[in-house]
Amino acid sequence: MAAKRWTKVHTDSPPPTRVLYLAGWGRSGSTLAEGMLDQVPGLVGVGEIKFLWERGLLQNRRCSCGTPLRSCEFWVEVLHEAFGRVPDDDELRELDEASRRFRTRHLPGLLLRPTHPPDAGELRWYYTVLADLYRAVAKVSGADVVVDSSKFPSYLTALLQAPGLDVRVAHIVRDPRAVAYSWQRHKEDPDAPNGELMPRMHPACTALYWSAWNLATERIARRAALPYLRFRYEDLIAAPDATLRAVTRLSGVPAAAVPVGDRGELFAHRTHQVSGNPVRFRSGPVRLRLDDEWTTGMAPRHRRLTGAVTVPLRHRYGYRDS
């Protein structure tokens, strides 16, 4: 395999690289949470690393710093540290193909066998590549913990196979009715090719995915005995300091307050996030405001449908009927 040609051979046993994995179904606030965590000393947020090979390098989409990824000084240095160079397109396609083994369609199997990755032996080279990549991110950034918001439960099983990674799971959840409403909205993606909009999904599909995705995340963390914390998007907005202190304790770095102004404003610094919600491109003051437009804008039939499909897990997470 081409990827084997640029996988490092280690002559020593480097210390484990801590990875704080932000899990949860899409549109639950992970990009905002990661941007806030990136401001905590010792943590570095780098977005959805699962999509580094395709969206980041093959498509050369922008890093959240605004620079196309192949030109971003941070990522170029990371790739040189990990592999000695930027991989060529054939190698990137091979890595992307390996990454695609860990997709949403594996959810049924993960619910039955939560820590069993597909083709574990065949993909050993890929797990070594991941270990080298996360180790390089930590070294280049100078951080103690790499924050990855890839979210996929299936990709979490890949990280568990990577040698030398100390994985902790911060599981963010949001009221499924708010999530379903967000997936219905027409949203621009300023980084998508050909001016494409962000994908949309029917509330029934969103409700099913929300339930299965979150349940699979719980089961993987429990079966693998991973350090795990579940927190709510609504609590992150209402009590950002307390919520982030709990997450940073999970990551193993000293808890530190994120500077939120008296008017509930956070100053967003430039980050180096790969893929994710367009909010990652924002810089300057950002108002921490609960996005509850769904309470008035969501069609009643969609609200009832989403609520009914998600009721067992929704109630357990503290989201009651309203």
Side-chain angles (χ1 to χ4, degrees):
M1 285 188 178
K4 291 181 180 177
R5 294 200 300 266
W6 47 270
T7 300
K8 280 187 175 180
V9 176
H10 294 285
T11 58
D12 56 357
S13 297
T17 303
R18 267 182 285 167
V19 177
L20 182 65
Y21 191 74
L22 269 178
W25 178 236
R27 313 291 176 90
S28 294
S30 62
T31 303
L32 174 64
E34 183 176 11
M36 297 169 74
L37 288 166
D38 185 76
Q39 298 195 35
V40 176
L43 301 180
V44 60
V46 286
E48 301 174 354
I49 293 187
K50 181 183 188 301
F51 296 111
L52 172 66
W53 319 115
E54 179 198 20
R55 297 178 188 174
L57 293 168
L58 285 171
Q59 296 179 3
N60 199 28
R61 296 195 192 187
R62 287 182 298 156
C63 172
S64 61
C65 71
T67 306
L69 208 86
R70 285 177 179 264
S71 305
C72 173
E73 293 181 1
F74 174 81
W75 282 107
V76 169
E77 186 175 353
V78 165
L79 294 168
H80 277 265
E81 173 62 32
F83 315 121
R85 58 187 172 84
V86 177
D88 62 39
D89 285 357
D90 287 339
E91 293 166 337
L92 291 172
R93 279 188 283 268
E94 188 171 21
L95 282 163
D96 179 49
E97 180 60 32
S99 180
R100 289 173 183 269
R101 306 278 191 99
F102 303 91
R103 302 176 73 172
T104 305
R105 69 186 182 199
H106 295 119
L107 271 177
L110 289 173
L111 289 170
L112 296 173
R113 296 180 295 176
T115 58
H116 182 73
D119 307 320
E122 179 187 345
L123 291 177
R124 190 170 290 112
W125 66 269
Y126 172 67
Y127 302 136
T128 302
V129 167
L130 291 182
D132 289 338
L133 176 65
Y134 286 87
R135 191 176 296 116
V137 168
K139 182 174 181 180
V140 171
S141 66
D144 299 311
V145 181
V146 178
V147 183
D148 178 355
S149 58
S150 293
K151 294 187 287 295
F152 281 66
S154 49
Y155 184 66
L156 174 57
T157 65
L159 295 188
L160 296 182
Q161 304 302 312
L165 296 188
D166 174 1
V167 181
R168 293 114 189 267
V169 179
H171 181 187
I172 185 169
V173 298
R174 184 184 181 188
D175 191 309
R177 293 159 295 189
V179 173
Y181 181 70
S182 180
W183 276 96
Q184 285 185 284
R185 294 159 76 177
H186 292 274
K187 290 186 176 182
E188 292 185 0
D189 185 348
D191 200 40
N194 304 317
E196 296 173 9
L197 297 176
M198 294 185 69
R200 300 175 68 216
M201 189 178 295
H202 190 277
C205 292
T206 302
L208 290 170
Y209 275 125
W210 182 91
S211 298
W213 197 279
N214 287 316
L215 185 59
T217 298
E218 288 187 15
R219 295 196 64 174
I220 293 168
R222 183 170 63 249
R223 289 287 183 91
L226 298 175
Y228 171 88
L229 173 72
R230 186 176 67 245
F231 67 104
R232 306 195 319 172
Y233 157 79
E234 293 82 1
D235 296 329
L236 179 66
I237 299 299
D241 190 59
T243 304
L244 287 174
R245 284 181 184 274
V247 177
T248 55
R249 280 194 297 270
L250 174 74
S251 74
V253 303
V258 172
V260 178
D262 294 336
R263 297 194 298 175
E265 287 186 340
L266 173 77
F267 190 87
H269 297 280
R270 188 181 72 165
T271 60
H272 293 288
Q273 292 174 268
V274 177
S275 191
N277 193 291
V279 72
R280 72 187 187 278
F281 292 115
R282 292 183 187 175
S283 60
V286 175
R287 182 80 180 272
L288 295 181
R289 182 185 62 84
L290 182 67
D291 182 359
D292 59 356
E293 185 180 330
W294 69 274
T295 58
T296 56
M298 192 175 193
R301 68 183 186 280
H302 289 155
R303 183 170 176 169
R304 289 192 296 270
L305 174 62
T306 305
V309 172
T310 60
V311 66
L313 207 57
R314 175 167 60 85
H315 283 182
R316 183 154 66 84
Y317 290 168
Y319 299 115
R320 313 305 296 183
D321 299 324
S322 58

